[in-house]
Structure formats: C-alpha cells, structure tokens
Amino acid sequence: MKYQIPKGLFDILPISKEAFKETDKWQYLESVINKLAKDYNFEEIRIPIFEKTELFIRGVGQTSDIASKELYTFLDKANRSMSLRPEGTASIMRAFIENSYQQNSKLTKFYYMGPMFRYDRPQKGRYRQHHQFGVEVIGDNSYEIDAEVIDMLMNLFKRLELKNLKLLINSIGDIECRKNFKIALKNFLKPNFEKLSEDSKIRFETNPLRILDSKEKCDQEILKSAPSILDFLSNDEKNHFEKLLNLLDTLKISYEVNDKLVRGLDYYDNCVFEVVTESQGAQNSLGGGGRYNSLLKSLSGPDLPGIGFACGLERILQTMIDQEVYFPDKKGPYLFIIPACERAKEFAIILTKDLRHHKIPTEIDLHAKKIQKSLQLANKIKASNVLILADNEMDSKKAEFKNLDTREQIAVEFENLKSFITDKYYNIGKKNV
Ligand code: HAM
C-alpha cells in the first residue's frame, strides 16, 4: 500500500521542489510576524484545532460557504459533532467569553498563527489545510482602532517588501442597514434573475449580499449599475467610515473604496477590508478582515465590539517568491567535525557532545572517509567552519580548523581545542551565525 498525503494538503520540508513549502521560509515569515505583533502590543492566543460544530455555524454564519460547504466535520466517540477550525475568530470569541476575559482589561489585543481547514476544490493558493496569521481586538469601537489594525496588516506586507498590493475597503453597516439594502438589491436583481450565474441564483435567496463579490462575468456585468450599500449607511456609520478614511489618508495608507466588497463570513458589520495582489491569479486575497460588533453578543457573550483580520501564509509566501523579495540565507551548523580516521572517532564524538552542551551548533560526519567528500557535505549543509581530524592531526595532536567562507585555516592543539572553538563562537563567530 502506497500512502499519500490527502488532496489539498502539503508537507513543509527543509528542502522542497516548491520554495514556498520550505521550512526556513516559514520560520522567517513567522519571525517577522512575531516581531510585528510585539511592536503593536498584541499577545498570542492559542486555540484548539477543533471545536463543537455549532460554534462555527453560529459564529461564521449558517449561509456562508465556510459553514454550509467547507467544514471538516466528524462525530467523536460520544456522538458529538465536532469540526476542524475553518478560521480563528469564532474560537477566539468562545475563549474570550469562557475565560471572562473582559475582566482582565478594557481592551484585548490577541494574535494567532496556525492551520485552518476548509474543504474546497484545491488549486494554486487554495488548500484544504492552510495557515493564517490573524489578530482580534475586542472592546473598542473607534475608527482609530480600525486604522491601527489596517496599518498593522499593511505594515506586515511592507516589512516583507511586497509590492503591487491593493487595500480594498468598504462599510457594510449594521443589520438594519443591510436589511434595507438587501431589499433594494433583490429588487434591482429580480428583472435580471435569469441572467445570473447558478451560484448567484441560489444566493439570491440565501445570502444576496454575496452576489456582490461574485467573480462570474455575467454577474459582474449586471452588478455594474447595482445600488451601493454606502447609500444605505446610517449617519453614524457614514461618519465612522469617513473619519476612518481621513485617518488612513493622514497615515499615508493608500486604499480603494470598493462598495461591492462584502467578505465571505456573516459576522461583519461596518468597516470591511481586503488586501489583494495581481500575482496570485484567482486566489488573489492575501488577507482580509473587518468589524464584528455583534458577534460576541450573538455567542451569548458580553456586548462588546471587535475588529480583526487574518492573512494566508501560503499566499504571502508564494507572492514573496514570485516577487523575488529578500529571504535570509539559510545557515547550517557553526562547526562540522570530520573524524577522517577510525581512531579520531571517539575523540570527535566527545568533542561534538561537549560543544553542543555549550550551545554551539555542531554536526559530525560519523561516516567520514575521504576528507574531500566530507568537505563537500559541509558546504552542502552550509556549515560555517570545519574541524579536520585525520591521521596527521591525531599524530601531531593538532586539529585543523577551517573557515569555509574565508578559507582561513589554523592548527589548534587538542588541549586548547574546546576553549578555542568556544571563544571563537561566542566572541566572533556568533555574529555570523
Ligand atoms: P478569510 O478571508 O476567510 O477571513 O481568510 C483569511 C485569509 O486566509 C484569506 O485572505 C486568504 O489569504 C487565506 N485563505 C483562506 N482560505 C484559504 C485556503 N483555502 N487556502 C489558502 N489560503 C486561504 C477569515 O478567516 C477571518 N477569520 C478573518 C478575520 C479575523 N476577520 C476578523 N477577524
């Protein structure tokens, strides 16, 4: 039996045929994200991989694609319906409520990173397990917080040196506003119903707002003259949105107001946004989010507003690679020890152990025979230095220490070997590791 990874999943490996699946790229992206979160004073939250199915149905919304078609659902041994998390927001709200988190502070700023699961047709940029970095800010309804969250997302892309991105922004008001808008939209679409795509015909009854961001040409043609949700906002909502746009102008964050942006999850109200790129084809959304002022309450929690975003790490990495942005060089061990004769082996093994216990990244070629072959291996794993222990060295009790970048070579007496390497690593070498 040949075992294969399920469709739509992939391994992240030290070396992969596709660069975006390489571990060091992920580690770099994760380190930039962790630093970004620190700079904006967000704290990490870790939520479970699966939850009771009804949380996602209530949280994300019954009519959303995620809840209606894409959940990975299973029954546990006690016949309870569980689902793998398709996103983070619903679980974070559950955790906030369950831990009475509002008692800790007036404003909560969480961030999270990890895998999400959606059963969809896999293609480039769309996977059945994908990874998100997201943030949620709970307890503040101000447009200044909206701007802070949007700036954070844009700053991530700036730090990663991504170009040609567009920030789309819209306001979809509250439930009342959307109720009125839905009636107007349906009245507008009714005469053109037969010309709508099959998906949109279904959405006409279940979730007419989602027709607005249909990618189908026939729908887009009809939608050109559709009513705008921005004309249905209350004065307060209009005010909030205008102030937010003004603040984005002041902060020099470019955006494009797109009154057809509604997003695929049902919990949003007021401001919603998405960052898109040209280079990812159909799956061009790198990240998105928005306000959810009634979500906590609808999950039986306190009446507190929230806003957040999430972005897809696969799509970000693919775009970084397409745009040939900077990635740090992959670094191997500080020292590669080559015991090139049988009697050097035990000495080399003890030395390797001692250096590792001194926290010096060290590798040993346990099967070294020809020095040339071992040197090739050292270069391949990108070691910084090698230590050669062949017959000559064992006779003279001096090891050859060689820097693989500068080619400098020095013979070091066995008795000074440990302190020589330790000094070099901690005084000079570490800066280059
Ligand atoms: P979302 O737009 O559904 O939002 O997902 C966020 C990002 O995850 C997308 O912009 C995309 O980059 C990535 N993504 C989504 N599905 C896939 C997939 N199948 N394969 C690869 N990447 C994918 C949310 O999940 C909300 N929870 C965001 C949020 C947080 N809103 C408020 N707070």
Side-chain angles (χ1 to χ4, degrees):
M1 164 113 186
K2 200 170 150 195
Y3 293 103
Q4 284 182 322
I5 193 165
K7 217 170 141 187
L9 276 62
F10 60 89
D11 299 308
I12 299 170
L13 300 160
I15 302 171
S16 169
K17 287 198 185 93
E18 288 175 274
F20 87 95
K21 297 179 181 170
E22 288 185 344
T23 325
D24 62 320
K25 310 265 184 320
W26 284 79
Q27 287 173 343
Y28 168 60
L29 177 56
E30 285 157 8
S31 71
V32 174
I33 287 171
N34 283 318
K35 176 73 174 90
L36 181 86
K38 261 225 152 344
D39 295 345
Y40 283 75
N41 191 32
F42 280 65
E43 290 185 298
E44 191 184 1
I45 177 169
R46 299 188 187 199
I47 41 165
I49 297 288
F50 67 90
E51 300 252 11
K52 289 182 184 151
T53 302
E54 59 216 61
L55 171 71
F56 297 123
I57 308 266
R58 285 299 309 263
V60 179
Q62 187 105 46
T63 57
S64 67
D65 283 353
I66 295 178
S68 62
K69 299 194 252 183
E70 297 173 3
L71 278 185
Y72 270 94
T73 299
F74 60 96
L75 291 178
D76 72 4
K77 288 195 198 292
N79 253 343
R80 286 173 294 229
S81 178
M82 301 286 168
S83 293
L84 299 185
R85 62 184 193 192
E87 58 110 49
T89 313
S91 303
I92 291 170
M93 295 308 119
R94 196 260 318 126
F96 184 92
I97 298 167
E98 205 171 344
N99 294 286
S100 308
Y101 216 81
Q102 73 275 17
Q103 287 169 7
N104 293 335
S105 63
K106 270 188 123 170
L107 184 68
T108 300
K109 291 163 79 170
F110 284 137
Y111 85 99
Y112 55 97
M113 243 191 295
M116 306 293 166
F117 305 86
R118 297 182 187 182
Y119 191 89
D120 201 348
R121 201 167 40 81
Q123 53 174 264
K124 188 181 177 195
R126 188 161 75 200
Y127 306 94
R128 289 184 173 166
Q129 171 178 285
H130 72 281
H131 297 74
Q132 289 187 0
F133 155 54
V135 309
E136 312 295 348
V137 180
I138 303 161
D140 191 331
N141 188 24
S142 70
Y143 66 89
E144 289 96 337
I145 284 287
D146 299 0
E148 177 180 324
V149 166
I150 291 171
D151 172 55
M152 186 177 184
L153 180 61
M154 299 314 286
N155 194 2
L156 170 66
F157 298 135
K158 187 174 155 202
R159 289 184 185 194
L160 297 171
E161 298 177 9
L162 288 173
K163 296 173 290 285
N164 305 328
L165 303 183
K166 220 183 324 182
L167 166 65
L168 307 175
I169 189 162
N170 192 21
S171 175
I172 56 168
D174 63 3
I175 294 182
E176 198 50 35
C177 152
R178 287 195 296 280
K179 205 159 76 194
N180 295 332
F181 175 69
K182 265 181 209 164
I183 296 169
L185 183 65
K186 283 178 89 169
N187 285 340
F188 166 81
L189 290 172
K190 223 175 254 162
N192 293 304
F193 185 82
E194 285 312 318
K195 291 192 211 139
L196 287 173
S197 68
E198 288 313 306
D199 262 357
S200 292
K201 278 181 186 155
I202 298 168
R203 285 182 172 146
F204 186 85
E205 287 310 330
T206 56
N207 194 351
L209 248 65
R210 284 308 309 278
I211 298 178
L212 287 179
D213 63 8
S214 158
K215 300 248 169 7
E216 299 288 339
K217 275 223 163 69
C218 54
D219 295 333
Q220 287 184 351
E221 199 49 45
I222 297 167
L223 289 167
K224 274 184 186 159
S225 47
S228 169
I229 193 157
L230 293 173
D231 295 329
F232 289 74
L233 299 181
S234 69
N235 283 340
D236 276 356
E237 288 158 358
K238 252 186 215 149
N239 219 344
H240 184 109
F241 193 48
E242 269 166 26
K243 282 186 171 151
L244 169 60
L245 297 185
N246 286 337
L247 184 53
L248 292 179
D249 289 335
T250 308
L251 297 173
K252 298 196 170 40
I253 297 171
S254 337
Y255 58 84
E256 188 179 297
V257 174
N258 180 333
D259 64 1
K260 305 222 163 30
L261 179 72
V262 289
R263 309 244 326 119
L265 302 119
D266 291 355
Y267 49 61
Y268 292 115
D269 35 36
N270 296 323
C271 130
V272 288
F273 53 91
E274 206 157 286
V275 179
V276 294
T277 160
E278 297 299 307
S279 57
Q280 281 298 309
Q283 305 309 319
N284 69 346
S285 165
L286 292 194
R291 232 176 215 295
Y292 43 83
N293 287 348
S294 37
L295 179 59
L296 265 169
K297 203 171 165 206
S298 76
L299 295 172
S300 314
D303 190 5
L304 287 173
I307 180 168
F309 68 71
C311 48
L313 303 193
E314 286 79 2
R315 292 184 195 174
I316 292 176
L317 282 167
Q318 281 170 330
T319 312
M320 288 168 72
I321 287 156
D322 286 350
Q323 295 191 5
E324 297 179 0
V325 306
Y326 163 86
F327 279 100
D329 278 346
K330 202 168 169 173
K331 273 274 171 207
Y334 177 72
L335 186 65
F336 187 79
I337 299 181
I338 306 172
C341 61
E342 208 39 49
R343 62 194 166 120
K345 221 171 178 180
E346 190 178 288
F347 179 74
I349 289 172
I350 295 169
L351 181 64
T352 304
K353 181 218 139 189
D354 285 349
L355 294 176
R356 286 173 174 167
H357 284 230
H358 276 89
K359 301 181 183 163
I360 299 176
T362 307
E363 182 55 295
I364 177 170
D365 185 357
L366 283 172
H367 304 288
K369 280 198 179 78
K370 294 212 166 76
I371 294 178
Q372 214 45 41
K373 275 251 159 71
S374 294
L375 285 173
Q376 282 169 7
L377 192 57
N379 276 314
K380 195 173 165 202
I381 66 165
K382 296 184 190 298
S384 306
N385 306 282
V386 290
L387 189 81
I388 299 167
L389 292 162
D391 277 322
N392 280 345
E393 285 76 17
M394 295 312 285
D395 289 341
S396 64
K397 298 206 182 329
K398 280 184 188 165
E400 283 297 322
F401 183 93
K402 183 173 177 181
N403 182 311
L404 289 177
D405 286 334
T406 61
R407 309 262 139 210
E408 265 173 80
Q409 200 161 326
I410 178 168
V412 188
E413 307 253 2
F414 279 5
E415 58 187 77
N416 300 330
L417 204 46
K418 233 186 298 172
S419 58
F420 171 83
I421 297 166
T422 316
D423 282 358
K424 218 172 168 48
Y425 176 72
Y426 283 106
N427 295 332
I428 323 163
K430 201 174 180 190
K431 293 189 191 106
N432 304 321
V433 171

